[in-house]
Amino acid sequence: MVIVMKHDSTLKEISEVLKKIKELGLKPHVLKGKERTIIGVIGRSNTNPELFESINGVEKVVRILSPFKLSSREFKGENTVIKINGAEIGGKKIFVMAGPCAIESREQILEIAQTLKEMGVKILRGGAYKPRTSPYSFQGLKEKGLEYLQEVKKETGLAVITEVMSPEDVEKVGKVADIFQIGARNMQNFPLLETVGKTDKPVLLKRGMMATVEELLMSAEYILSSRNPRVILCERGIRTFEQYTRNTFDISAIPLLKKLSHLPVIADPSHGTGLRELVSPVGKSAIVAGADGLLIEVHKDPSKAISDGFQTLDFPMFSKLLSEIKSICNAIGREI
Ligand code: PEP
Ligand code: MN
């Protein structure tokens, strides 16, 4: 349940509510909004709301019916806006995070970063740790990749998003990453979710390839309930019987997630389609459907990319997509 405090409630009244929650053996989650404080109560679902309704300063008590609580719109009506390096994800502006699937060399990532920066990109993507289906495929440059990424940050001032695959790596990756990426294959790696949940870094959580929207939100809940409120949801396609595309991009998940949750929603049409020529049309559709940004694989020479070359855009294709998104933003009242 959620306890909504009156807009003029005092600190004493708020601590009275917190005391009661703890006495009942439940866990409070305090959210200080612009207008008022709201307190989420996590634990048993049969707690009597009257226990709180009688406390001074409480305006109302609302039951959250969905299994996901802290990520739900019922818990928080206004959109969550996440600040990263001057960027605000989840606000009026659309953010396009771009870069190669994997960091392949110092020169490769530096050159891509510089070109993308000139195009106006603020957040660079690039995997140092790669979750590959085959153990014989390139697994990423790991620590060396993180070093290159650190250097790129220093040189360009770009923020970076990179994947973390195991709880043991969270500290090391967190020294470089501005945003942790949790990959589709790890969406239900609960120890990993709890570990990033104990940091204060934004986490981009990708939908598992066989996960429902509700399961995605339940995974977000692991991070939020570990006390990290900075979660970004990412639709990246799900597995269906269709064979022409790598995944089936679930466009309906975008407005659905925006309706169910206050968290920002990003679309990854690169993994969502697996085909270069589909990335731009699907990415644009995702923006129209309400996505707060895109995650796009871009490489100087996609035909030479070590991983995911088929779905990777070259610079001219990416630049064209950016200018088309600008026109779309004008039409739908958003900015880029
Ligand atoms: C990636 O972003 O390169 C990646 C591996 O994505 P996903 O986890 O969505 O497959
Ligand atoms: Mn990839």
Side-chain angles (χ1 to χ4, degrees), residues 1-5 13-14 16-26 28 39-42 44 47-62:
M1 66 174 72
V2 172
I3 301 167
V4 182
M5 301 302 293
E13 288 164 346
I14 294 171
E16 208 46 45
V17 173
L18 296 178
K19 199 169 127 217
K20 186 84 201 162
I21 295 171
K22 285 175 193 153
E23 267 171 27
L24 293 165
L26 305 167
I39 304 167
V41 186
I42 306 295
R44 292 184 301 274
T47 311
N48 184 356
E50 282 173 21
L51 289 171
F52 298 102
E53 277 161 352
S54 54
I55 301 176
N56 279 344
V58 172
E59 183 166 297
K60 58 177 177 178
V61 180
V62 186

PDB file of all heavy atoms in Angstrom, residues 1-5 13-14 16-26 28 39-42 44 47-62:
ATOM      1  N   MET A   1       0.836  -1.197   0.000  1.00  0.00           N
ATOM      2  CA  MET A   1       0.000   0.000   0.000  1.00  0.00           C
ATOM      3  C   MET A   1       0.873   1.249   0.000  1.00  0.00           C
ATOM      4  O   MET A   1       2.065   1.185   0.294  1.00  0.00           O
ATOM      5  CB  MET A   1      -0.928  -0.003   1.221  1.00  0.00           C
ATOM      6  CG  MET A   1      -0.209   0.126   2.543  1.00  0.00           C
ATOM      7  SD  MET A   1      -1.344   0.277   3.928  1.00  0.00           S
ATOM      8  CE  MET A   1      -1.998  -1.361   4.033  1.00  0.00           C
ATOM      9  N   VAL A   2       0.248   2.364  -0.361  1.00  0.00           N
ATOM     10  CA  VAL A   2       0.955   3.635  -0.403  1.00  0.00           C
ATOM     11  C   VAL A   2       0.268   4.604   0.539  1.00  0.00           C
ATOM     12  O   VAL A   2      -0.958   4.746   0.518  1.00  0.00           O
ATOM     13  CB  VAL A   2       0.935   4.217  -1.835  1.00  0.00           C
ATOM     14  CG1 VAL A   2       1.485   5.626  -1.851  1.00  0.00           C
ATOM     15  CG2 VAL A   2       1.730   3.345  -2.775  1.00  0.00           C
ATOM     16  N   ILE A   3       1.072   5.264   1.379  1.00  0.00           N
ATOM     17  CA  ILE A   3       0.508   6.260   2.293  1.00  0.00           C
ATOM     18  C   ILE A   3       0.828   7.638   1.713  1.00  0.00           C
ATOM     19  O   ILE A   3       1.995   7.989   1.544  1.00  0.00           O
ATOM     20  CB  ILE A   3       1.102   6.100   3.704  1.00  0.00           C
ATOM     21  CG1 ILE A   3       0.781   4.680   4.205  1.00  0.00           C
ATOM     22  CG2 ILE A   3       0.574   7.176   4.647  1.00  0.00           C
ATOM     23  CD1 ILE A   3       1.543   4.277   5.428  1.00  0.00           C
ATOM     24  N   VAL A   4      -0.200   8.379   1.367  1.00  0.00           N
ATOM     25  CA  VAL A   4      -0.003   9.719   0.808  1.00  0.00           C
ATOM     26  C   VAL A   4      -0.136  10.719   1.948  1.00  0.00           C
ATOM     27  O   VAL A   4      -1.171  10.788   2.612  1.00  0.00           O
ATOM     28  CB  VAL A   4      -1.054  10.010  -0.292  1.00  0.00           C
ATOM     29  CG1 VAL A   4      -0.825  11.382  -0.909  1.00  0.00           C
ATOM     30  CG2 VAL A   4      -1.019   8.918  -1.364  1.00  0.00           C
ATOM     31  N   MET A   5       0.939  11.473   2.184  1.00  0.00           N
ATOM     32  CA  MET A   5       0.917  12.464   3.269  1.00  0.00           C
ATOM     33  C   MET A   5       0.278  13.761   2.751  1.00  0.00           C
ATOM     34  O   MET A   5       0.328  14.061   1.557  1.00  0.00           O
ATOM     35  CB  MET A   5       2.342  12.758   3.757  1.00  0.00           C
ATOM     36  CG  MET A   5       3.111  11.542   4.291  1.00  0.00           C
ATOM     37  SD  MET A   5       2.328  10.677   5.675  1.00  0.00           S
ATOM     38  CE  MET A   5       2.409  11.890   6.997  1.00  0.00           C
ATOM     39  N   GLU A  13       5.240  14.072  11.830  1.00  0.00           N
ATOM     40  CA  GLU A  13       4.127  13.208  11.401  1.00  0.00           C
ATOM     41  C   GLU A  13       4.637  12.080  10.482  1.00  0.00           C
ATOM     42  O   GLU A  13       4.196  10.941  10.583  1.00  0.00           O
ATOM     43  CB  GLU A  13       3.069  14.049  10.679  1.00  0.00           C
ATOM     44  CG  GLU A  13       2.295  14.941  11.658  1.00  0.00           C
ATOM     45  CD  GLU A  13       1.512  16.069  10.980  1.00  0.00           C
ATOM     46  OE1 GLU A  13       1.747  16.362   9.791  1.00  0.00           O
ATOM     47  OE2 GLU A  13       0.666  16.667  11.669  1.00  0.00           O
ATOM     48  N   ILE A  14       5.610  12.447   9.620  1.00  0.00           N
ATOM     49  CA  ILE A  14       6.181  11.436   8.721  1.00  0.00           C
ATOM     50  C   ILE A  14       6.907  10.365   9.539  1.00  0.00           C
ATOM     51  O   ILE A  14       6.736   9.165   9.308  1.00  0.00           O
ATOM     52  CB  ILE A  14       7.124  12.093   7.677  1.00  0.00           C
ATOM     53  CG1 ILE A  14       6.312  12.999   6.746  1.00  0.00           C
ATOM     54  CG2 ILE A  14       7.897  11.046   6.874  1.00  0.00           C
ATOM     55  CD1 ILE A  14       7.105  13.873   5.808  1.00  0.00           C
ATOM     56  N   GLU A  16       6.309   9.492  12.523  1.00  0.00           N
ATOM     57  CA  GLU A  16       5.280   8.724  13.234  1.00  0.00           C
ATOM     58  C   GLU A  16       4.806   7.561  12.350  1.00  0.00           C
ATOM     59  O   GLU A  16       4.662   6.417  12.804  1.00  0.00           O
ATOM     60  CB  GLU A  16       4.108   9.694  13.510  1.00  0.00           C
ATOM     61  CG  GLU A  16       3.226   9.454  14.697  1.00  0.00           C
ATOM     62  CD  GLU A  16       3.968   9.132  15.985  1.00  0.00           C
ATOM     63  OE1 GLU A  16       4.965   9.787  16.353  1.00  0.00           O
ATOM     64  OE2 GLU A  16       3.513   8.177  16.614  1.00  0.00           O
ATOM     65  N   VAL A  17       4.599   7.875  11.073  1.00  0.00           N
ATOM     66  CA  VAL A  17       4.147   6.843  10.117  1.00  0.00           C
ATOM     67  C   VAL A  17       5.245   5.779   9.949  1.00  0.00           C
ATOM     68  O   VAL A  17       4.969   4.575   9.993  1.00  0.00           O
ATOM     69  CB  VAL A  17       3.807   7.485   8.741  1.00  0.00           C
ATOM     70  CG1 VAL A  17       3.499   6.412   7.704  1.00  0.00           C
ATOM     71  CG2 VAL A  17       2.631   8.440   8.874  1.00  0.00           C
ATOM     72  N   LEU A  18       6.487   6.240   9.809  1.00  0.00           N
ATOM     73  CA  LEU A  18       7.604   5.298   9.613  1.00  0.00           C
ATOM     74  C   LEU A  18       7.738   4.359  10.825  1.00  0.00           C
ATOM     75  O   LEU A  18       8.007   3.168  10.671  1.00  0.00           O
ATOM     76  CB  LEU A  18       8.914   6.057   9.381  1.00  0.00           C
ATOM     77  CG  LEU A  18       8.975   6.913   8.106  1.00  0.00           C
ATOM     78  CD1 LEU A  18      10.292   7.659   8.005  1.00  0.00           C
ATOM     79  CD2 LEU A  18       8.778   6.050   6.853  1.00  0.00           C
ATOM     80  N   LYS A  19       7.531   4.941  12.004  1.00  0.00           N
ATOM     81  CA  LYS A  19       7.633   4.153  13.237  1.00  0.00           C
ATOM     82  C   LYS A  19       6.586   3.031  13.230  1.00  0.00           C
ATOM     83  O   LYS A  19       6.877   1.872  13.511  1.00  0.00           O
ATOM     84  CB  LYS A  19       7.418   5.090  14.436  1.00  0.00           C
ATOM     85  CG  LYS A  19       7.935   4.530  15.742  1.00  0.00           C
ATOM     86  CD  LYS A  19       7.931   5.598  16.827  1.00  0.00           C
ATOM     87  CE  LYS A  19       7.192   5.066  18.033  1.00  0.00           C
ATOM     88  NZ  LYS A  19       6.388   6.042  18.733  1.00  0.00           N
ATOM     89  N   LYS A  20       5.381   3.401  12.845  1.00  0.00           N
ATOM     90  CA  LYS A  20       4.272   2.428  12.817  1.00  0.00           C
ATOM     91  C   LYS A  20       4.580   1.296  11.828  1.00  0.00           C
ATOM     92  O   LYS A  20       4.357   0.119  12.106  1.00  0.00           O
ATOM     93  CB  LYS A  20       2.986   3.171  12.389  1.00  0.00           C
ATOM     94  CG  LYS A  20       1.755   2.337  12.448  1.00  0.00           C
ATOM     95  CD  LYS A  20       1.214   2.351  13.852  1.00  0.00           C
ATOM     96  CE  LYS A  20       0.308   1.211  14.174  1.00  0.00           C
ATOM     97  NZ  LYS A  20       0.171   1.049  15.630  1.00  0.00           N
ATOM     98  N   ILE A  21       5.112   1.682  10.652  1.00  0.00           N
ATOM     99  CA  ILE A  21       5.423   0.682   9.620  1.00  0.00           C
ATOM    100  C   ILE A  21       6.433  -0.325  10.169  1.00  0.00           C
ATOM    101  O   ILE A  21       6.263  -1.540  10.040  1.00  0.00           O
ATOM    102  CB  ILE A  21       5.984   1.372   8.340  1.00  0.00           C
ATOM    103  CG1 ILE A  21       4.902   2.256   7.701  1.00  0.00           C
ATOM    104  CG2 ILE A  21       6.497   0.342   7.330  1.00  0.00           C
ATOM    105  CD1 ILE A  21       5.392   3.143   6.570  1.00  0.00           C
ATOM    106  N   LYS A  22       7.460   0.196  10.815  1.00  0.00           N
ATOM    107  CA  LYS A  22       8.515  -0.677  11.361  1.00  0.00           C
ATOM    108  C   LYS A  22       7.975  -1.556  12.496  1.00  0.00           C
ATOM    109  O   LYS A  22       8.311  -2.731  12.589  1.00  0.00           O
ATOM    110  CB  LYS A  22       9.718   0.142  11.802  1.00  0.00           C
ATOM    111  CG  LYS A  22      10.517   0.611  10.576  1.00  0.00           C
ATOM    112  CD  LYS A  22      11.656   1.527  10.944  1.00  0.00           C
ATOM    113  CE  LYS A  22      12.183   2.206   9.698  1.00  0.00           C
ATOM    114  NZ  LYS A  22      12.811   3.505   9.992  1.00  0.00           N
ATOM    115  N   GLU A  23       7.120  -0.979  13.326  1.00  0.00           N
ATOM    116  CA  GLU A  23       6.513  -1.754  14.432  1.00  0.00           C
ATOM    117  C   GLU A  23       5.761  -2.975  13.895  1.00  0.00           C
ATOM    118  O   GLU A  23       5.718  -4.017  14.517  1.00  0.00           O
ATOM    119  CB  GLU A  23       5.501  -0.872  15.171  1.00  0.00           C
ATOM    120  CG  GLU A  23       6.069  -0.123  16.366  1.00  0.00           C
ATOM    121  CD  GLU A  23       5.041   0.888  16.900  1.00  0.00           C
ATOM    122  OE1 GLU A  23       3.802   0.684  16.743  1.00  0.00           O
ATOM    123  OE2 GLU A  23       5.509   1.891  17.438  1.00  0.00           O
ATOM    124  N   LEU A  24       5.171  -2.788  12.718  1.00  0.00           N
ATOM    125  CA  LEU A  24       4.382  -3.881  12.125  1.00  0.00           C
ATOM    126  C   LEU A  24       5.270  -4.884  11.376  1.00  0.00           C
ATOM    127  O   LEU A  24       4.789  -5.829  10.759  1.00  0.00           O
ATOM    128  CB  LEU A  24       3.333  -3.306  11.161  1.00  0.00           C
ATOM    129  CG  LEU A  24       2.211  -2.480  11.799  1.00  0.00           C
ATOM    130  CD1 LEU A  24       1.455  -1.684  10.757  1.00  0.00           C
ATOM    131  CD2 LEU A  24       1.246  -3.397  12.562  1.00  0.00           C
ATOM    132  N   GLY A  25       6.578  -4.639  11.395  1.00  0.00           N
ATOM    133  CA  GLY A  25       7.527  -5.547  10.725  1.00  0.00           C
ATOM    134  C   GLY A  25       7.532  -5.362   9.214  1.00  0.00           C
ATOM    135  O   GLY A  25       7.916  -6.255   8.463  1.00  0.00           O
ATOM    136  N   LEU A  26       7.118  -4.187   8.740  1.00  0.00           N
ATOM    137  CA  LEU A  26       7.071  -3.919   7.293  1.00  0.00           C
ATOM    138  C   LEU A  26       8.203  -2.969   6.905  1.00  0.00           C
ATOM    139  O   LEU A  26       8.883  -2.408   7.770  1.00  0.00           O
ATOM    140  CB  LEU A  26       5.706  -3.312   6.926  1.00  0.00           C
ATOM    141  CG  LEU A  26       4.499  -4.159   7.354  1.00  0.00           C
ATOM    142  CD1 LEU A  26       3.219  -3.367   7.239  1.00  0.00           C
ATOM    143  CD2 LEU A  26       4.405  -5.424   6.507  1.00  0.00           C
ATOM    144  N   PRO A  28       9.402   0.471   4.873  1.00  0.00           N
ATOM    145  CA  PRO A  28       8.941   1.705   4.233  1.00  0.00           C
ATOM    146  C   PRO A  28       9.841   2.152   3.082  1.00  0.00           C
ATOM    147  O   PRO A  28      11.045   1.907   3.111  1.00  0.00           O
ATOM    148  CB  PRO A  28       9.033   2.733   5.365  1.00  0.00           C
ATOM    149  CG  PRO A  28      10.121   2.224   6.252  1.00  0.00           C
ATOM    150  CD  PRO A  28      10.233   0.747   6.051  1.00  0.00           C
ATOM    151  N   ILE A  39       4.731   7.414   1.008  1.00  0.00           N
ATOM    152  CA  ILE A  39       5.493   6.336   1.637  1.00  0.00           C
ATOM    153  C   ILE A  39       4.925   4.996   1.179  1.00  0.00           C
ATOM    154  O   ILE A  39       3.745   4.702   1.374  1.00  0.00           O
ATOM    155  CB  ILE A  39       5.409   6.440   3.187  1.00  0.00           C
ATOM    156  CG1 ILE A  39       5.895   7.831   3.643  1.00  0.00           C
ATOM    157  CG2 ILE A  39       6.243   5.340   3.847  1.00  0.00           C
ATOM    158  CD1 ILE A  39       5.557   8.154   5.086  1.00  0.00           C
ATOM    159  N   GLY A  40       5.759   4.215   0.529  1.00  0.00           N
ATOM    160  CA  GLY A  40       5.347   2.876   0.098  1.00  0.00           C
ATOM    161  C   GLY A  40       5.550   1.920   1.262  1.00  0.00           C
ATOM    162  O   GLY A  40       6.536   2.018   1.993  1.00  0.00           O
ATOM    163  N   VAL A  41       4.638   1.001   1.425  1.00  0.00           N
ATOM    164  CA  VAL A  41       4.774   0.005   2.488  1.00  0.00           C
ATOM    165  C   VAL A  41       4.867  -1.359   1.830  1.00  0.00           C
ATOM    166  O   VAL A  41       3.933  -1.796   1.147  1.00  0.00           O
ATOM    167  CB  VAL A  41       3.556   0.040   3.455  1.00  0.00           C
ATOM    168  CG1 VAL A  41       3.795  -0.898   4.632  1.00  0.00           C
ATOM    169  CG2 VAL A  41       3.293   1.453   3.940  1.00  0.00           C
ATOM    170  N   ILE A  42       6.005  -2.009   2.014  1.00  0.00           N
ATOM    171  CA  ILE A  42       6.216  -3.305   1.382  1.00  0.00           C
ATOM    172  C   ILE A  42       6.154  -4.384   2.455  1.00  0.00           C
ATOM    173  O   ILE A  42       6.751  -4.257   3.522  1.00  0.00           O
ATOM    174  CB  ILE A  42       7.597  -3.340   0.663  1.00  0.00           C
ATOM    175  CG1 ILE A  42       7.729  -2.167  -0.317  1.00  0.00           C
ATOM    176  CG2 ILE A  42       7.828  -4.665  -0.041  1.00  0.00           C
ATOM    177  CD1 ILE A  42       6.776  -2.166  -1.480  1.00  0.00           C
ATOM    178  N   ARG A  44       3.303  -7.547   3.997  1.00  0.00           N
ATOM    179  CA  ARG A  44       2.026  -8.263   3.901  1.00  0.00           C
ATOM    180  C   ARG A  44       0.969  -7.425   3.174  1.00  0.00           C
ATOM    181  O   ARG A  44       0.944  -6.208   3.293  1.00  0.00           O
ATOM    182  CB  ARG A  44       1.501  -8.554   5.319  1.00  0.00           C
ATOM    183  CG  ARG A  44       2.311  -9.551   6.082  1.00  0.00           C
ATOM    184  CD  ARG A  44       1.652  -9.825   7.418  1.00  0.00           C
ATOM    185  NE  ARG A  44       1.498  -8.622   8.229  1.00  0.00           N
ATOM    186  CZ  ARG A  44       2.440  -8.158   9.027  1.00  0.00           C
ATOM    187  NH1 ARG A  44       3.606  -8.757   9.106  1.00  0.00           N
ATOM    188  NH2 ARG A  44       2.236  -7.075   9.753  1.00  0.00           N
ATOM    189  N   THR A  47      -2.471  -5.816   5.564  1.00  0.00           N
ATOM    190  CA  THR A  47      -2.377  -4.807   6.630  1.00  0.00           C
ATOM    191  C   THR A  47      -3.594  -3.879   6.559  1.00  0.00           C
ATOM    192  O   THR A  47      -3.973  -3.426   5.481  1.00  0.00           O
ATOM    193  CB  THR A  47      -1.074  -3.987   6.456  1.00  0.00           C
ATOM    194  OG1 THR A  47      -0.015  -4.910   6.283  1.00  0.00           O
ATOM    195  CG2 THR A  47      -0.797  -3.100   7.650  1.00  0.00           C
ATOM    196  N   ASN A  48      -4.141  -3.597   7.704  1.00  0.00           N
ATOM    197  CA  ASN A  48      -5.334  -2.756   7.744  1.00  0.00           C
ATOM    198  C   ASN A  48      -4.964  -1.278   7.499  1.00  0.00           C
ATOM    199  O   ASN A  48      -4.231  -0.690   8.297  1.00  0.00           O
ATOM    200  CB  ASN A  48      -5.992  -2.934   9.126  1.00  0.00           C
ATOM    201  CG  ASN A  48      -7.295  -2.175   9.235  1.00  0.00           C
ATOM    202  OD1 ASN A  48      -7.684  -1.458   8.299  1.00  0.00           O
ATOM    203  ND2 ASN A  48      -7.955  -2.325  10.373  1.00  0.00           N
ATOM    204  N   PRO A  49      -5.483  -0.652   6.440  1.00  0.00           N
ATOM    205  CA  PRO A  49      -5.132   0.743   6.146  1.00  0.00           C
ATOM    206  C   PRO A  49      -5.529   1.713   7.264  1.00  0.00           C
ATOM    207  O   PRO A  49      -4.915   2.754   7.450  1.00  0.00           O
ATOM    208  CB  PRO A  49      -5.900   1.064   4.869  1.00  0.00           C
ATOM    209  CG  PRO A  49      -6.697  -0.127   4.517  1.00  0.00           C
ATOM    210  CD  PRO A  49      -6.393  -1.232   5.451  1.00  0.00           C
ATOM    211  N   GLU A  50      -6.523   1.312   8.041  1.00  0.00           N
ATOM    212  CA  GLU A  50      -6.984   2.202   9.131  1.00  0.00           C
ATOM    213  C   GLU A  50      -5.897   2.478  10.160  1.00  0.00           C
ATOM    214  O   GLU A  50      -5.904   3.500  10.828  1.00  0.00           O
ATOM    215  CB  GLU A  50      -8.206   1.581   9.829  1.00  0.00           C
ATOM    216  CG  GLU A  50      -9.475   1.760   9.027  1.00  0.00           C
ATOM    217  CD  GLU A  50     -10.651   1.004   9.635  1.00  0.00           C
ATOM    218  OE1 GLU A  50     -10.608   0.686  10.838  1.00  0.00           O
ATOM    219  OE2 GLU A  50     -11.593   0.722   8.876  1.00  0.00           O
ATOM    220  N   LEU A  51      -4.930   1.545  10.248  1.00  0.00           N
ATOM    221  CA  LEU A  51      -3.821   1.743  11.190  1.00  0.00           C
ATOM    222  C   LEU A  51      -3.051   3.022  10.883  1.00  0.00           C
ATOM    223  O   LEU A  51      -2.443   3.627  11.746  1.00  0.00           O
ATOM    224  CB  LEU A  51      -2.858   0.543  11.109  1.00  0.00           C
ATOM    225  CG  LEU A  51      -3.359  -0.775  11.683  1.00  0.00           C
ATOM    226  CD1 LEU A  51      -2.405  -1.900  11.327  1.00  0.00           C
ATOM    227  CD2 LEU A  51      -3.501  -0.668  13.190  1.00  0.00           C
ATOM    228  N   PHE A  52      -3.094   3.416   9.608  1.00  0.00           N
ATOM    229  CA  PHE A  52      -2.345   4.610   9.189  1.00  0.00           C
ATOM    230  C   PHE A  52      -3.260   5.816   8.985  1.00  0.00           C
ATOM    231  O   PHE A  52      -2.864   6.950   9.208  1.00  0.00           O
ATOM    232  CB  PHE A  52      -1.578   4.321   7.886  1.00  0.00           C
ATOM    233  CG  PHE A  52      -0.556   3.232   8.061  1.00  0.00           C
ATOM    234  CD1 PHE A  52      -0.810   1.940   7.618  1.00  0.00           C
ATOM    235  CD2 PHE A  52       0.651   3.492   8.692  1.00  0.00           C
ATOM    236  CE1 PHE A  52       0.125   0.936   7.805  1.00  0.00           C
ATOM    237  CE2 PHE A  52       1.599   2.499   8.876  1.00  0.00           C
ATOM    238  CZ  PHE A  52       1.329   1.211   8.433  1.00  0.00           C
ATOM    239  N   GLU A  53      -4.482   5.532   8.559  1.00  0.00           N
ATOM    240  CA  GLU A  53      -5.408   6.629   8.237  1.00  0.00           C
ATOM    241  C   GLU A  53      -5.645   7.554   9.429  1.00  0.00           C
ATOM    242  O   GLU A  53      -5.927   8.740   9.275  1.00  0.00           O
ATOM    243  CB  GLU A  53      -6.740   6.058   7.730  1.00  0.00           C
ATOM    244  CG  GLU A  53      -6.670   5.709   6.255  1.00  0.00           C
ATOM    245  CD  GLU A  53      -7.760   4.736   5.810  1.00  0.00           C
ATOM    246  OE1 GLU A  53      -8.509   4.194   6.651  1.00  0.00           O
ATOM    247  OE2 GLU A  53      -7.833   4.495   4.595  1.00  0.00           O
ATOM    248  N   SER A  54      -5.492   6.988  10.643  1.00  0.00           N
ATOM    249  CA  SER A  54      -5.776   7.796  11.838  1.00  0.00           C
ATOM    250  C   SER A  54      -4.577   8.641  12.290  1.00  0.00           C
ATOM    251  O   SER A  54      -4.707   9.466  13.181  1.00  0.00           O
ATOM    252  CB  SER A  54      -6.209   6.863  12.974  1.00  0.00           C
ATOM    253  OG  SER A  54      -5.215   5.875  13.123  1.00  0.00           O
ATOM    254  N   ILE A  55      -3.419   8.433  11.655  1.00  0.00           N
ATOM    255  CA  ILE A  55      -2.231   9.218  12.078  1.00  0.00           C
ATOM    256  C   ILE A  55      -2.316  10.625  11.488  1.00  0.00           C
ATOM    257  O   ILE A  55      -2.659  10.799  10.309  1.00  0.00           O
ATOM    258  CB  ILE A  55      -0.918   8.515  11.630  1.00  0.00           C
ATOM    259  CG1 ILE A  55      -0.832   7.108  12.238  1.00  0.00           C
ATOM    260  CG2 ILE A  55       0.313   9.341  12.010  1.00  0.00           C
ATOM    261  CD1 ILE A  55       0.367   6.287  11.792  1.00  0.00           C
ATOM    262  N   ASN A  56      -1.990  11.631  12.294  1.00  0.00           N
ATOM    263  CA  ASN A  56      -2.013  13.025  11.819  1.00  0.00           C
ATOM    264  C   ASN A  56      -1.087  13.201  10.625  1.00  0.00           C
ATOM    265  O   ASN A  56       0.007  12.644  10.590  1.00  0.00           O
ATOM    266  CB  ASN A  56      -1.532  13.980  12.926  1.00  0.00           C
ATOM    267  CG  ASN A  56      -2.647  14.265  13.904  1.00  0.00           C
ATOM    268  OD1 ASN A  56      -3.831  14.018  13.616  1.00  0.00           O
ATOM    269  ND2 ASN A  56      -2.280  14.766  15.076  1.00  0.00           N
ATOM    270  N   GLY A  57      -1.519  13.989   9.658  1.00  0.00           N
ATOM    271  CA  GLY A  57      -0.672  14.283   8.495  1.00  0.00           C
ATOM    272  C   GLY A  57      -0.910  13.328   7.340  1.00  0.00           C
ATOM    273  O   GLY A  57      -0.447  13.564   6.232  1.00  0.00           O
ATOM    274  N   VAL A  58      -1.645  12.221   7.586  1.00  0.00           N
ATOM    275  CA  VAL A  58      -1.905  11.271   6.495  1.00  0.00           C
ATOM    276  C   VAL A  58      -3.142  11.729   5.731  1.00  0.00           C
ATOM    277  O   VAL A  58      -4.192  11.976   6.323  1.00  0.00           O
ATOM    278  CB  VAL A  58      -2.119   9.835   7.038  1.00  0.00           C
ATOM    279  CG1 VAL A  58      -2.590   8.887   5.937  1.00  0.00           C
ATOM    280  CG2 VAL A  58      -0.836   9.322   7.670  1.00  0.00           C
ATOM    281  N   GLU A  59      -3.004  11.854   4.399  1.00  0.00           N
ATOM    282  CA  GLU A  59      -4.170  12.254   3.609  1.00  0.00           C
ATOM    283  C   GLU A  59      -5.016  11.041   3.231  1.00  0.00           C
ATOM    284  O   GLU A  59      -6.217  11.008   3.429  1.00  0.00           O
ATOM    285  CB  GLU A  59      -3.730  12.992   2.351  1.00  0.00           C
ATOM    286  CG  GLU A  59      -4.915  13.484   1.549  1.00  0.00           C
ATOM    287  CD  GLU A  59      -4.507  14.487   0.507  1.00  0.00           C
ATOM    288  OE1 GLU A  59      -4.005  15.560   0.879  1.00  0.00           O
ATOM    289  OE2 GLU A  59      -4.674  14.164  -0.679  1.00  0.00           O
ATOM    290  N   LYS A  60      -4.317  10.029   2.664  1.00  0.00           N
ATOM    291  CA  LYS A  60      -5.073   8.802   2.313  1.00  0.00           C
ATOM    292  C   LYS A  60      -4.139   7.615   2.198  1.00  0.00           C
ATOM    293  O   LYS A  60      -2.907   7.767   2.073  1.00  0.00           O
ATOM    294  CB  LYS A  60      -5.854   9.000   1.010  1.00  0.00           C
ATOM    295  CG  LYS A  60      -4.987   9.359  -0.169  1.00  0.00           C
ATOM    296  CD  LYS A  60      -5.788   9.480  -1.442  1.00  0.00           C
ATOM    297  CE  LYS A  60      -4.843   9.919  -2.552  1.00  0.00           C
ATOM    298  NZ  LYS A  60      -5.366  10.047  -3.838  1.00  0.00           N
ATOM    299  N   VAL A  61      -4.722   6.445   2.226  1.00  0.00           N
ATOM    300  CA  VAL A  61      -3.955   5.210   2.069  1.00  0.00           C
ATOM    301  C   VAL A  61      -4.507   4.491   0.839  1.00  0.00           C
ATOM    302  O   VAL A  61      -5.715   4.291   0.723  1.00  0.00           O
ATOM    303  CB  VAL A  61      -4.086   4.322   3.323  1.00  0.00           C
ATOM    304  CG1 VAL A  61      -3.295   3.027   3.160  1.00  0.00           C
ATOM    305  CG2 VAL A  61      -3.605   5.078   4.561  1.00  0.00           C
ATOM    306  N   VAL A  62      -3.603   4.172  -0.094  1.00  0.00           N
ATOM    307  CA  VAL A  62      -4.061   3.550  -1.348  1.00  0.00           C
ATOM    308  C   VAL A  62      -3.453   2.152  -1.454  1.00  0.00           C
ATOM    309  O   VAL A  62      -2.248   1.976  -1.265  1.00  0.00           O
ATOM    310  CB  VAL A  62      -3.587   4.389  -2.572  1.00  0.00           C
ATOM    311  CG1 VAL A  62      -4.154   3.854  -3.875  1.00  0.00           C
ATOM    312  CG2 VAL A  62      -3.936   5.859  -2.389  1.00  0.00           C
TER     313      VAL A  62
END
